[in-house]
Structures are given as structure tokens and as C-alpha cells.
Amino acid sequence: MAAMQTKGEKAFSLMNYLILGGFALLCLFPFLHVIAQSLSSQRAIVSGEVIFLPVETTFLAYKEVLMDQHFLRAFGVSVARTVIGTFINVFFTCLMAYPLSKTYIKGRGIILFMVVFTMLFSGGMIPTYLVVRETGLLNSFWAYIIPTAISAFNLIIVKNFFQSVPMELEESAKIDGASNVGILFKIVIPLSMPVIATIGLFHAVFHWNSFFDAVLYMNDRSLYPLQVYLRELIQFDQSEINLRDNFEQQLLANESLKAAALISSTLPILIVYPFLQKYFVKGVMLGSVKG
């Protein structure tokens, strides 16, 4: 049985809960305010009545955003980038991390040094741009994927996790005739799902939130991701957004449109995260225990 808490310990725990709960509410309030604005009427927003609850609830802003072809195209680019980019990131990270986790491979130390070196020193923005240009990736969807195919930090994490997989399992598989590729995909990766889900979530959030590489490498607006669309939506006037011509839509508040676009762009990650949360927590805890 757990030891009984003293009055001082109970008061300390209560104070901790109150403080942490207060910080959590501070983080949640801006999100609630944006949701309330996206669901409120133009009059309520302009008059400053909207705080945390919608006033004169309307879904007109969501209707306009979801029927805007620019939004739908940018949303599709972001979804494609996130799905393809995350798959390639995880796939190539595992392929590189597995041999690096084997201490008997010759030249492993040199390659690890080169990987760690890139974490400390990088070429910078201009050399990276020149490499992307000379490889013909400007105005190409693959400019989002190839330059960031492998993250050195995540590679080290996966390599360390692979080293914790018992060697006896691999030796048994080799006795049964399994190849190194078979061992990786049938034994090591299934046992490493917590760390793979963790780095997969990191990569997915990175791809979903990225916009600077689109500004650098893209002149074709059809390849702009959702974050660039949101950037332009916030900077430009409402007159530059395609709205249909009737009186009610002319009264639609620009702030409501921005809020609806922001919420629509945030929901996909919020929906995906709960499915990966159990793996994410387990992966972090294992990494902290096993180093």
C-alpha cells in the first residue's frame, strides 16, 4: 500500500496541480479563442464580443475556406508531403541505422563521425540552395523530400534503440536462414515500433509545419504547401481571397476566415497524435532508461 501523505505533502500536491493546470489553461485559451472566432459572426468579432465562446454561431467561414481551391490545393500538397516525406524519412533512417548499430562493421566509426559532424556544422542556407538548384530540384515537389531525407539526430536515436534489441533473436533468425534485410524488417523494426512511431511523429510535424523551404525553392504556386497559404492569408487583405458575390459573404470577417483556415490546418495533426501517443510515450521512456 502507498504511504499516507502528510497535510504538507497534500497541500504541496494540490498547489502543483493548480499551477500546472493554470499553465495548461494558458496554453489552451488562445486555441479556444481562435475556434470561437472561426464560428462567430462578423458583427460579434468586430465589436469585440468573442472571447472563448462563439457568438452568433455560423459556419460560413469554414464553408468559404473549404470551398477555396487555393486552400484545397495547398492542403493536398501538405498531406502528400507529410505522408511521402515521413515514409521516406523513417525508411531510410532505419536502413542506415541498422548497419551502424553493428559494432563489427568496418568503417562504422568514420560514418558515425560524419553523421555527428553534420549536427554540429552545416553548410548554411546559400550552399544548400545551390545544391538544390544544381540537382534540378527547384520548382519540384522532391525539393521538400530529398534534402531532409535523413535527420542526423533521429538517426542516432534509432541506432541506439536498435542496439538494445537482443542479439540472440538475430542469431536465431540467421540460423533459420534469414538475411540481414529480413531480420531488419521482420524482427528489428517490429520490436522498435515505439521509437519508429516517435521519430515518425517528429518528421510528420516537421513536414506539416514547414514553409521556409517552399519560399526558397518554389516559384510555382501550385506547389505551395498549406503553411504558405496561411502566411499569405494573414498578410493579404480579404479582397484577395476568392469569395462568391452575395451580400452575406461580403460581410464575412477577415479574422473569421483566418481563424477557420488555422483550425482546418491544425486538425489533421491533432487527429493523428492520439493514435501515436502510446508509442510516443513508450519510446521516450525507453530512451531515457536505456540511454
Side-chain angles (χ1 to χ4, degrees), residues 67-75 221 224 226 229 240 242:
M67 295 186 70
D68 182 9
Q69 294 302 315
H70 298 292
F71 174 85
L72 295 177
R73 182 172 60 243
F75 188 89
R221 298 182 65 85
Y224 280 178
L226 189 58
Y229 171 89
E240 298 189 53
N242 278 334

Side-chain angles (χ1 to χ4, degrees), residues 41-53:
S41 67
Q42 182 251 7
R43 186 204 63 78
I45 295 175
V46 172
S47 61
E49 298 177 19
V50 180
I51 301 178
F52 300 126
L53 295 176

Side-chain angles (χ1 to χ4, degrees), residues 35 37 52 113 120-121 130 174 199 207 216 234 274:
I35 294 177
Q37 280 196 328
F52 300 126
F113 172 79
L120 304 175
F121 305 98
L130 294 176
K174 287 181 180 179
I199 67 165
H207 283 295
L216 283 179
I234 292 173

Side-chain angles (χ1 to χ4, degrees), residues 41-43 56-61 63-64 238 243-253:
S41 67
Q42 182 251 7
R43 186 204 63 78
E56 299 175 2
T57 303
T58 175
F59 292 94
L60 187 57
K63 180 180 178 182
E64 287 301 317
Q238 184 178 353
L243 297 178
R244 286 174 301 282
D245 297 326
N246 66 54
F247 181 73
E248 184 181 11
Q249 289 160 348
Q250 292 289 338
L251 292 177
L252 186 61

Side-chain angles (χ1 to χ4, degrees), residues 130-172:
L130 294 176
V131 170
V132 171
R133 186 188 67 181
E134 294 303 318
T135 51
L137 294 177
L138 291 182
N139 288 316
S140 168
F141 176 80
W142 295 105
Y144 296 141
I145 308 298
I146 295 177
T148 58
I150 295 180
S151 165
F153 178 78
N154 290 334
L155 176 67
I156 298 298
I157 292 177
V158 177
K159 190 261 307 179
N160 291 338
F161 199 96
F162 282 176
Q163 286 179 330
S164 68
V165 176
M167 286 295 298
E168 291 78 9
L169 294 176
E170 298 186 32
E171 292 171 355
S172 299

Side-chain angles (χ1 to χ4, degrees), residues 83-101:
V83 173
I84 297 173
T86 302
F87 173 78
I88 289 178
N89 290 142
V90 173
F91 180 77
F92 283 105
T93 298
C94 291
L95 285 185
M96 189 171 180
Y98 181 64
L100 291 178
S101 67

Side-chain angles (χ1 to χ4, degrees), residues 19-38:
I19 293 175
L20 293 176
F23 279 119
L25 289 176
L26 287 176
C27 296
L28 187 62
F29 282 160
F31 189 69
L32 294 177
H33 179 67
V34 173
I35 294 177
Q37 280 196 328
S38 69

Side-chain angles (χ1 to χ4, degrees), residues 221-240:
R221 298 182 65 85
S222 64
L223 292 174
Y224 280 178
L226 189 58
Q227 305 307 322
V228 177
Y229 171 89
L230 295 176
R231 175 173 172 265
E232 293 182 346
L233 182 65
I234 292 173
Q235 289 181 346
F236 294 161
D237 293 331
Q238 184 178 353
S239 59
E240 298 189 53

